[in-house]
Amino acid sequence: MTILAILVVLCGLQLPAQDMKSCPMHKEKTGHQADVEKHGDEAMGFPHDTTTHHFRLLPDGGTIEVTVNDPKDTAGMQAIRSHLNHIVTMFSTGDFSIPMFVHSQTPPGVTEMKDRRAEISYTLEELAAGGRVRITTKNADALNAIHDFLNFQIEDHQTGDTTH
């Protein structure tokens, strides 16, 4: 009887740990998503899990927004702004090597964005907790490419932002 009681107690203690493992919020990321996060951390120079990313589609383009989760993280804010400034410079010259590295593929829209780079404007806007890259164009084909690119980012980074 004592052995049975011990087994029941031990099995009962195992259940919460098993429940946590089955919870999608507590699952360890593997495969492509883990690679995206690892490569993103390397490329950005700051950890993704201390920041929030948003990709927004706008009628004339869109935005790539990154903010720190802790408003006291001034080093993180500076790292974000530095990274986004670098993105503005690179994208303006048609260099999309960072998103290609992060996602291990050429994201949709990149080829057209490279071809139409003279018709696309990239500007850095500082936010209280980080920054955003504002992408604008007056060209319909470039706009479609920007939206394809941002939709891909939303889906691959699983940000939950509105697509289309």
Side-chain angles (χ1 to χ4, degrees), residues 16-152:
Q18 290 171 348
D19 288 343
M20 292 294 280
K21 287 180 184 175
S22 67
C23 174
M25 296 301 291
H26 291 91
K27 282 186 178 179
E28 185 175 323
K29 303 233 172 133
T30 58
H32 177 70
Q33 190 62 35
D35 288 344
V36 167
E37 290 178 2
K38 178 180 177 253
H39 292 161
D41 289 357
E42 291 171 20
M44 294 182 301
F46 51 86
H48 71 277
D49 56 356
T50 63
T51 62
T52 299
H53 290 71
H54 289 288
F55 303 90
R56 305 197 197 282
L57 283 66
L58 300 172
D60 65 346
T63 63
I64 300 167
E65 183 177 305
V66 186
T67 55
V68 291
N69 295 338
D70 178 0
K72 296 176 189 162
D73 183 4
T74 56
M77 279 185 245
Q78 287 307 109
I80 288 168
R81 291 174 184 155
S82 177
H83 168 68
L84 293 178
N85 189 51
H86 190 213
I87 290 296
V88 165
T89 302
M90 292 178 73
F91 286 14
S92 294
T93 64
D95 181 351
F96 288 82
S97 57
I98 288 178
M100 292 166 70
F101 168 71
V102 170
H103 300 283
S104 302
Q105 63 180 299
T106 301
V110 164
T111 302
E112 186 79 24
M113 290 169 75
K114 285 180 178 185
D115 292 345
R116 299 200 177 269
R117 70 179 173 265
E119 300 173 72
I120 302 173
S121 173
Y122 301 90
T123 54
L124 176 63
E125 298 174 352
E126 286 192 9
L127 301 173
R132 78 167 62 101
V133 174
R134 180 74 167 90
I135 309 168
T136 58
T137 189
K138 293 180 181 177
N139 179 284
D141 292 329
L143 180 62
N144 288 334
I146 292 164
H147 286 179
D148 288 346
F149 177 77
L150 294 173
N151 277 320
F152 173 80

